[in-house]
Amino acid sequence: MRKDRLYLLTFLSVTLIFLIISSVAVGYFVKFSADKVLETQLEFSKREAREVASLLGAQLANGILKDTVIISLQESIENTDQTTGFVSMFDWSGKIVCHPDVKIIGEIISPEQSFVSSVSDNLTSKDFYNLLQDKEEVGGIRDFEDGLQESEVVYLFPVKNSDWIIAAHANTQMVMAQIGDLRSKFYTILIIMGLVMIVSSVVAVRLIGSTYEKRLETKNLKLSNEVVNLAKLNSAVNAYQQKVEEKSEVNLEDDVATKRRILTYRRNELRPVPTTDIAYIYTESTITYVVCIDSKRSTSNSSLDELFSNLDSTYFFRANRQFIIAISAIEKIVKYGNNQLKILVNPNSEVDIIISKNRASEFKQWLNL
């Protein structure tokens, strides 16, 4: 249940983060792409207006009649208002001379119809984008009778040797349709990317989580086994302590090779210590200390090897080079380090009693005697 909740929270978190990032990214990418589209459209419209004006000026300079020039231009631009951009021609009085829509030729452009006088040469793609989005008064918005077309004058260029002006129009509905299509494509790409990213993230979290859980379960199982083994070992200590206590007197009487007591020193006093009273023996700074069950400590002139050779091996165990411990003094056995054992004794030892990995199996066998 906790795993499913974790995966659900991961899914919701990744989805929320993606939505926040994508909402910002889409607006930025759409505006950036629209800016490039509009910049291209503006440059194309300006170039087309200049080329048409230059061509008409050259024809007039070569003596071609104005009516012939007008007829030729009208034939070339007729019905071109279906594209994203087209050109028309006015005279200085505002009368439409040539236009893709022949129905409005001859009409006068009023300020209410188009603010052509406000169009400047430095119209930028940013201005154009604001014009399309907010209908800000930059050029002339003209609505045609069919209600389907809407254009914006974005550039004006005069024709030499005449009173004509070439106007470059941008078909705002067509341009907006291009931007809308661009926006739709961005949303589609982001949705696909989002689904792939979200699903991949959840799958990755699930795989990583499963791997971690397996490792954790393995460690827990190993730890459980070690706890069980330590519990068995401590039970074996208790059982062995009882067994030794029951047989200690008989063993001491029967085994003449083992000492019943050892001679120790306390200050200037000689003290024979019964082996049954010894809790543990250890060396420190070349001095051998004998610690009794009642916490009294004395010293011995013998080394650990000499003492251990004369002690009952069923009652005493050589834990390491520094310690000999009695079965009756063992309080608890705990895991220590890498497969090592730490012996807790009573009375407490200031120095840790550690049984190495190599002697751990021997210690276990000693407890099973």
Side-chain angles (χ1 to χ4, degrees), residues 11-171:
F11 173 78
L12 294 176
S13 300
V14 174
T15 303
L16 180 61
I17 293 172
F18 175 78
L19 289 176
I20 294 173
I21 295 175
S22 61
S23 62
V24 177
V26 166
Y28 173 79
F29 284 125
V30 169
K31 191 169 183 179
F32 178 78
S33 301
D35 183 71
K36 293 300 180 182
V37 171
L38 296 178
E39 186 178 356
T40 303
Q41 180 63 43
L42 283 174
E43 290 299 321
F44 174 77
S45 298
K46 291 178 181 180
R47 184 172 66 251
E48 185 180 22
R50 288 193 293 265
E51 289 176 353
V52 171
S54 299
L55 178 62
L56 297 183
Q59 289 178 344
L60 293 174
N62 291 329
I64 299 176
L65 298 176
K66 284 188 175 183
D67 291 340
T68 303
V69 173
I70 292 172
I71 292 172
S72 175
L73 176 62
Q74 180 61 36
E75 289 178 351
S76 63
I77 68 173
E78 196 164 327
N79 295 322
T80 58
D81 55 350
Q82 302 297 320
T83 61
T84 55
F86 60 91
V87 296
S88 65
M89 186 169 70
F90 310 91
D91 61 18
W92 285 102
S93 66
K95 180 182 177 181
I96 301 175
V97 179
C98 294
H99 197 281
D101 186 357
V102 295
K103 293 183 291 184
I104 64 173
I105 295 177
E107 294 184 2
I108 301 297
I109 299 174
S110 64
E112 290 78 14
Q113 288 179 303
S114 180
F115 298 95
V116 293
S117 60
S118 65
V119 178
S120 60
D121 291 344
N122 59 354
L123 181 68
T124 64
S125 57
K126 184 178 180 180
D127 295 331
F128 197 8
Y129 185 79
N130 292 333
L131 182 149
L132 295 174
Q133 295 293 322
D134 306 323
K135 297 300 182 185
E136 293 181 357
E137 189 175 297
V138 177
I141 299 176
R142 299 183 0 86
D143 297 320
F144 293 95
E145 295 178 358
D146 57 10
L148 297 177
Q149 297 295 330
E150 187 180 65
S151 67
E152 186 72 31
V153 176
V154 295
Y155 186 65
L156 298 175
F157 197 83
V159 178
K160 290 183 179 180
N161 305 316
S162 72
D163 61 347
W164 296 335
I165 299 174
I166 299 298
H169 295 255
N171 193 328

